[in-house]
Amino acid sequence: MLSTTAKELLCNGYLYLLVIYHLSTMSTANHYPNLAGVKYSMPGDLIIGGLFPLHDYSDQRQCTSLRDLGTLLRVESMVYAIEEINNNTDILPNITIGFEIYDTCTREATSLAQILRFLPVETFASTDTCECVTGTGTCTNGSISDVRIDAVIGTEMSFTTIPAAQLLGLAHIFQISYYATSDDLSSKDRFPYFLRLSPPDKLQVQTMIDLMEFFDWSFVSLVHSDDNYGKNGQKELKAEAEAAGICIAESLEVSAFMTADDYDDIVQTLLRSPKARVLVMFVQVKEANGVLYAIDRANASDHFILIGSDGWAASIDEIEHANRRVAAGVLKINLYSANFQIFEDYFRTLNPSNNAKNPWFDEFWDAYLGCSDETGVVCSEAYGPGFSGDNSVSLVIDSVYTFALGWEQMRRDLCTSRDAQCEQLIASQNKSFLMEYMLNLKFEGASGPIAFDENGDLMGKYDIHTIQLVGGDYQLVKVGIWDSLGGDNKLNFTDNIAHWYERFPDGQVWPSFCSVPCAPGEITIPREHVCCWDCVPCRSNEITTQNATKCTECEPHMWPDEDSTKCEPIPPSYIQYGDPWAIMLATLAALGLAFSSLTLAAFIHYNNTPLVKATSRELSYIMFIGISLSYLLVYCFLAKPTTATCYINRLGFMVSFTFTYSPLITKTNRIYRIFDAGKKSTKRPPFISPRSQVIISMLLVFLQLLISISWLIYIPPEAILIVPIPKEKNVELSCNITENEVITSLCYNVLLVVMCSYYAFKARKVPSNYNETRFISVSVYTTLVIWLAFIPTYFTTNKSYFKVTFLSLAMIMNATVSLVCMYMPKIYAVHFLKEVDINAVTQYAAEGVPSGSYPTRSRFGNRLSNSVAPSSTGHPTDAPSTLQLQTNAKSQFASQLERDTSAAVKT
């Protein structure tokens, strides 16, 4: 029994609801005078109450509008299930189930008024403060039935089910709704005596979200009813949409009592967001028809893609004929309900004659089947196959079986005998145990497996229907199914979905998004909605971060990936042997090495000839080292930069030039000093011996080595990554040679070349038969031109690839110029001219004979200087003229060269 406080609360609630009941019945008395007393009932040991919305409010707020035929089907399916259980000896033997069914008129007030009939009168028997109950337990008003209700099936809508569950729970009356889906009903603290055969709205919302994600709809509008069903659906949909990255463009509330103008304003507001072509309608039947009418008046039926909740269009009859064209193509979510052929066969046998107990049957018979009992027309043939599945008949049948099987499990525990009636089960004090039995039930129902979670919710399925024109009439066509237990594949479509695609041109579903997704490498600048943005490209070396709202620059040597979401290392580039430039340079270096090898072989072959001896052959061999190093270093420059190759390149680069030009400047300086000393005296200049020349030359090389080694110690060689041009995807692998190091070493070598040029110019008037300075001049002048072109090119380019190319090309050209200018004339003279001519020239010059006084038969001899000419008598004059000074200088120069050559041969 209830406590005194609970009884007082219940009594106060009862008095309040009783007033509502009277008001509702008074408002409908003139239009439906028998609403208060109309019921469909059958006696039994256990009574199940039924609450079904058979009528709806009219526009004048009167309970006269007949609802769709599906409501009648659900009423008859409850009666059918009870009769089937009563005829089954395996369920509740010797116990009969009865029923009392009332019309809720689809409104909260009338629903509560009818629920009052189910309250147990004895609950108030000992409550002194409850004036409506007498001491004998009968109500003075007479509005409460003396039949005890053990369980209730209904109501259909969430907004009527919630207050019904609260009131029935106070009286410990168990309730099962076959269609209420509000998430509020999942709270066992608020509704401890409530179960339902329909999944909660959160699953329906998840079905909608999965549909949007499947078709890539990210910008949608929402219309919801002003009741608990619509408000909770709107709240859940907004939360789930936000989590899925879907935006609600417009969220508008509608009411069953709105005027046509109000609905027109709703549609015009929706059209202000033209990119939101998907419209979710989380409403009841009356509101749905109001919105559809307004869409038709606005000629916007080809603009919206409708997604409908389970609150409307459970059957095609709920949509008014004028609205079915507008609703065509809707993706309609309905509670999963299987066809139940046995019931369909049973319902076809019903007519007003054999079903007179149902007080509403005649009204539905006349309104929907187009005939009456007097016409004699067989009206049951108007139904086609499968009508039970479209009207949730199986859910009502499973609701009845849930009570029956729960009672059966309870009976087996309370009573051991099947032959006698189980009085313990029928006793009211044992009813509170029923919930535990029902929550533990698992059985195969008419709609599939039945099992409840801890909240009394059924983890079920949803059918996805669309409205299509079939055979000249609009019908609900199943195009898919959503199963909460389907794992990653909850949403599945049938072959009928192909007909839904036919609505769209070329079978392409209309898009519904505010902004096109930004391309990789672009960030979003939000506008009025999260799903509305502008796309702004990042720089080429930046990635998108913070959910594509910020550009972040990659670190050096890194570059964005294809999606511009992370930085990846840039593969370093360097000149390779397979590159066209590398092939050309390697070929030229190979030819230069071959050419220098042949020249060296010829020099060695003619090593003891007077001409080779007279050209400071020791210095010539040192020059060969520099020339050969220049060619060989090209291959090191073309190799992949490593620590080892960087050592070789940095050390060998400048040393190769020094090996070339330190002997050359030593030789040029020696010629100039001998010639200059011969004009002043006959004293031999110091440090002109071959050994002195080699030492001087190697000292100059050592100085360059000292400079290079100092740089190697200061900055150890290594292969480094450099970015030639920022903001470009290019990283080069290069040796870490600095500009200061290049400038320091280059200045030293350029100084050698400049000094070489200076002494070559000063010694330009050396006697012709020993005039090697002309070739030296050509060599050093050409070298200066090469380096004047190389230096600015090398320092102005940023790419190591071109630096290596220019450097290698400069070294090849420099080595080739030195080889051609310094060695080819000597090889030609030694090989092609007769040695007797060469010896004669050398001998005559040594004796002081003027150049024009001895015979010459070769081109080499003809190159003697014409600056010294004989007198008119053929003899030189006695005066110490310029001619005599030049002749004496020649003699001294020739004699010195002869002595140096002899000394070289001896050594």
Side-chain angles (χ1 to χ4, degrees):
M1 297 297 291
L2 295 175
S3 65
T4 303
T5 302
K7 290 179 180 179
E8 290 177 354
L9 290 174
L10 183 59
C11 185
N12 291 334
Y14 167 75
L15 293 174
Y16 169 72
L17 292 173
L18 190 60
V19 173
I20 296 177
Y21 169 75
H22 283 298
L23 291 175
S24 64
T25 55
M26 287 173 61
S27 65
T28 61
N30 295 330
H31 299 275
Y32 205 93
N34 295 323
L35 179 64
V38 176
K39 68 176 179 180
Y40 186 12
S41 64
M42 184 182 74
D45 301 316
L46 296 172
I47 304 298
I48 299 178
L51 297 171
F52 294 90
L54 291 146
H55 292 83
D56 200 354
Y57 270 3
S58 66
D59 293 337
Q60 291 77 30
R61 302 191 181 188
Q62 304 300 325
C63 191
T64 57
S65 299
L66 195 66
R67 290 200 65 190
D68 64 285
L69 187 58
T71 305
L72 180 66
L73 293 174
R74 290 188 281 276
V75 170
E76 291 296 345
S77 66
M78 175 180 170
V79 176
Y80 165 81
I82 290 175
E83 291 179 350
E84 188 178 51
I85 292 170
N86 287 337
N87 295 327
N88 189 342
T89 57
D90 292 331
I91 303 175
L92 299 176
N94 299 312
I95 297 176
T96 302
I97 300 177
F99 60 85
E100 281 200 8
I101 301 175
Y102 292 92
D103 180 10
T104 64
C105 203
T106 324
R107 305 311 298 170
E108 183 175 355
T110 51
S111 297
L112 291 175
Q114 300 290 37
I115 291 170
L116 291 177
R117 300 179 180 277
F118 298 154
L119 296 179
V121 176
E122 64 269 16
T123 304
F124 308 99
S126 61
T127 305
D128 298 334
T129 58
C130 189
E131 298 177 357
C132 66
V133 178
T134 66
T136 60
T138 59
C139 185
T140 58
N141 180 271
S143 301
I144 306 300
S145 172
D146 57 354
V147 178
R148 187 189 71 239
I149 302 298
D150 298 287
V152 175
I153 292 178
T155 63
E156 185 170 301
M157 288 79 171
S158 295
F159 72 92
T160 58
T161 301
I162 289 176
Q166 290 174 325
L167 186 57
L168 292 172
L170 289 174
H172 294 190
I173 297 177
F174 293 96
Q175 178 187 6
I176 293 180
S177 175
Y178 56 89
Y179 220 82
T181 59
S182 173
D183 290 331
D184 289 345
L185 292 167
S186 296
S187 173
K188 275 289 161 278
D189 292 334
R190 294 177 60 191
F191 309 103
Y193 293 91
F194 177 80
L195 293 178
R196 55 182 163 186
L197 264 296
S198 57
D201 280 338
K202 62 183 178 182
L203 296 183
Q204 179 180 192
V205 168
Q206 189 58 57
T207 305
M208 295 177 176
I209 295 297
D210 286 353
L211 280 172
M212 296 174 195
E213 290 182 333
F214 182 85
F215 293 108
D216 292 328
W217 294 327
S218 60
F219 196 54
V220 302
S221 294
L222 169 65
V223 171
H224 65 92
S225 56
D226 63 347
D227 53 21
N228 181 274
Y229 170 79
K231 291 179 179 179
N232 283 349
Q234 177 238 24
K235 180 180 178 181
E236 186 71 27
L237 182 63
K238 283 188 173 181
E240 292 296 328
E242 183 179 358
I246 298 172
C247 294
I248 307 297
E250 301 288 346
S251 180
L252 305 174
E253 184 175 278
V254 295
S255 169
F257 305 113
M258 290 174 59
T259 64
D261 291 338
D262 294 332
Y263 281 113
D264 290 339
D265 291 340
I266 291 291
V267 172
Q268 291 303 318
T269 302
L270 294 173
L271 292 175
R272 293 193 192 107
S273 299
K275 292 186 177 181
R277 305 194 69 171
V278 172
L279 175 60
V280 180
M281 296 176 61
F282 222 107
V283 295
Q284 305 289 356
V285 175
K286 192 174 184 64
E287 294 93 323
N289 280 296
V291 173
L292 293 175
Y293 269 126
I295 291 175
D296 189 30
R297 288 193 295 270
N299 293 321
S301 57
D302 291 333
H303 176 79
F304 292 110
I305 302 174
L306 303 179
I307 295 180
S309 67
D310 58 8
W312 61 283
S315 66
I316 192 63
D317 294 328
E318 291 187 346
I319 302 178
E320 298 181 14
H321 285 276
N323 287 331
R324 294 178 186 179
R325 180 187 62 83
V326 181
V330 63
L331 290 176
K332 181 66 186 60
I333 298 171
N334 286 325
L335 293 177
Y336 176 80
S337 178
N339 292 337
F340 200 63
Q341 188 61 43
I342 300 175
F343 169 77
E344 292 186 15
D345 296 338
Y346 161 80
F347 187 78
R348 291 177 193 277
T349 65
L350 300 179
N351 57 61
S353 298
N354 61 17
N355 196 27
K357 291 182 180 181
N358 188 335
W360 307 288
F361 194 84
D362 282 350
E363 188 178 4
F364 278 91
W365 183 272
D366 294 338
Y368 288 104
L369 299 179
C371 59
S372 64
D373 188 49
E374 288 78 11
T375 62
V377 179
V378 183
C379 301
S380 60
E381 293 180 358
Y383 272 113
F387 63 85
S388 61
D390 294 337
N391 293 281
S392 305
V393 165
S394 62
L395 298 177
V396 178
I397 294 174
D398 288 340
S399 298
V400 175
Y401 268 89
T402 299
F403 281 129
L405 293 175
W407 279 325
E408 172 61 20
Q409 293 296 326
M410 187 175 176
R411 183 198 65 79
R412 293 178 182 179
D413 290 343
L414 295 176
C415 304
T416 58
S417 174
R418 289 176 50 89
D419 298 332
Q421 190 180 56
C422 185
E423 296 294 338
Q424 295 90 330
L425 175 64
I426 299 175
S428 61
Q429 61 268 22
N430 294 320
K431 289 195 303 182
S432 58
F433 298 105
L434 179 59
M435 177 60 72
E436 181 179 349
Y437 285 100
M438 290 192 297
L439 285 176
N440 292 326
L441 280 178
K442 289 184 180 180
F443 66 95
E444 189 67 26
S447 57
I450 301 297
F452 299 96
D453 62 12
E454 66 277 5
N455 296 319
D457 293 333
L458 183 71
M459 299 298 290
K461 303 177 183 178
Y462 287 99
D463 285 332
I464 301 173
H465 292 88
T466 189
I467 297 176
Q468 292 181 353
L469 190 62
V470 180
D473 192 15
Y474 287 98
Q475 296 181 10
L476 277 175
V477 179
K478 185 176 179 178
V479 295
I481 189 171
W482 187 90
D483 188 354
S484 61
L485 302 178
D488 295 333
N489 298 312
K490 294 182 176 66
L491 182 63
N492 293 284
F493 292 100
T494 66
D495 294 338
N496 291 330
I497 193 65
H499 299 291
W500 181 78
Y501 277 101
E502 293 175 357
R503 178 191 179 191
F504 308 100
D506 302 325
Q508 298 295 321
V509 180
W510 295 333
S512 186
F513 55 80
C514 186
S515 299
V516 178
C518 293
E522 295 180 339
I523 60 173
T524 59
I525 305 300
R527 297 205 305 251
E528 66 274 13
H529 289 283
V530 177
C531 294
C532 301
W533 59 78
D534 295 317
C535 295
V536 177
C538 295
R539 294 186 178 92
S540 58
N541 66 327
E542 294 178 336
I543 61 173
T544 58
T545 57
Q546 297 181 9
N547 197 23
T549 59
K550 181 181 178 182
C551 294
T552 303
E553 185 175 354
C554 289
E555 296 181 358
H557 316 143
M558 305 284 282
W559 200 258
D561 62 354
E562 292 183 358
D563 297 330
S564 295
T565 56
K566 62 180 180 180
C567 296
E568 297 178 339
I570 303 175
S573 62
Y574 52 89
I575 192 167
Q576 300 184 19
Y577 289 114
D579 296 341
W581 276 102
I583 294 174
M584 182 196 73
L585 294 172
T587 302
L588 293 177
L591 292 175
L593 282 173
F595 194 27
S596 62
S597 298
L598 292 175
T599 304
L600 179 62
F603 242 69
I604 294 173
H605 179 72
Y606 296 112
N607 187 62
N608 294 321
T609 60
L611 183 59
V612 172
K613 292 178 182 179
T615 56
S616 301
R617 57 185 176 182
E618 294 80 5
L619 298 179
S620 298
Y621 288 128
I622 294 176
M623 285 186 65
F624 265 118
I625 296 175
I627 292 172
S628 300
L629 275 177
S630 297
Y631 288 126
L632 288 173
L633 280 174
V634 171
Y635 294 98
C636 288
F637 283 121
L638 297 180
K640 179 180 179 179
T642 61
T643 301
T645 57
C646 289
Y647 266 105
I648 297 173
N649 292 343
R650 287 177 56 180
L651 185 63
F653 171 47
M654 293 303 175
V655 171
S656 63
F657 286 109
T658 309
F659 266 109
T660 301
Y661 290 103
S662 63
L664 196 59
I665 190 174
T666 304
K667 179 187 294 190
T668 310
N669 175 268
R670 176 174 176 266
I671 293 173
Y672 169 73
R673 286 190 298 118
I674 291 174
F675 179 73
D676 187 63
K679 293 191 295 182
K680 299 175 182 179
S681 66
T682 59
K683 185 178 179 180
R684 176 180 177 177
F687 307 113
I688 60 174
S689 66
R691 180 172 297 174
S692 298
Q693 297 296 297
V694 170
I695 292 173
I696 293 172
S697 179
M698 294 310 297
L699 284 175
L700 294 175
V701 172
F702 177 77
L703 185 57
Q704 175 59 59
L705 279 173
L706 188 62
I707 295 173
S708 297
I709 291 174
S710 298
W711 277 107
L712 294 180
I713 294 173
Y714 180 65
I715 304 177
E718 62 176 336
I720 60 172
L721 298 174
I722 60 173
V723 180
I725 302 177
K727 315 302 185 206
E728 285 191 6
K729 187 181 180 180
N730 183 27
V731 170
E732 293 183 330
L733 186 64
S734 177
C735 292
N736 62 333
I737 183 170
T738 63
E739 292 184 355
N740 291 334
E741 180 181 357
V742 174
I743 292 173
T744 303
S745 300
L746 198 59
C747 286
Y748 177 77
N749 284 282
V750 168
L751 179 63
L752 295 181
V753 174
V754 170
M755 293 302 297
C756 232
S757 302
Y758 170 76
Y759 286 120
F761 176 79
K762 296 291 287 185
R764 66 188 183 280
K765 295 182 180 180
V766 172
S768 297
N769 53 330
Y770 295 102
N771 197 358
E772 191 179 15
T773 57
R774 294 182 180 179
F775 300 108
I776 295 174
S777 299
V778 173
S779 176
V780 294
Y781 296 159
T782 305
T783 299
L784 283 176
V785 173
I786 293 172
W787 284 100
L788 285 175
F790 163 74
I791 290 174
T793 304
Y794 181 86
F795 285 107
T796 54
T797 184
N798 292 324
K799 293 189 176 183
S800 297
Y801 185 97
F802 294 118
K803 285 188 175 183
V804 170
T805 301
F806 296 149
L807 184 59
S808 300
L809 190 61
M811 294 178 67
I812 291 173
M813 294 175 63
N814 188 73
T816 303
V817 167
S818 299
L819 186 65
V820 171
C821 293
M822 300 306 302
Y823 293 95
M824 290 304 100
K826 300 179 180 62
I827 299 299
Y828 174 81
V830 172
H831 185 73
F832 292 101
L833 300 182
K834 293 183 179 180
E835 190 170 344
V836 64
D837 295 336
I838 299 173
N839 291 337
V841 172
T842 304
Q843 180 180 358
Y844 294 151
E847 293 173 354
V849 179
S851 60
S853 302
Y854 51 84
T856 59
R857 296 191 302 271
S858 69
R859 286 172 293 174
F860 184 86
N862 291 334
R863 296 177 60 226
L864 296 177
S865 175
N866 293 323
S867 61
V868 182
S871 64
S872 59
T873 60
H875 300 281
T877 61
D878 296 332
S881 63
T882 303
L883 176 63
Q884 290 176 330
L885 292 175
Q886 291 177 348
T887 302
N888 292 336
K890 283 183 182 181
S891 299
Q892 291 179 4
F893 178 69
S895 299
Q896 183 62 49
L897 289 177
E898 187 73 23
R899 288 193 299 272
D900 293 343
T901 301
S902 300
V905 172
K906 292 179 181 180
T907 57

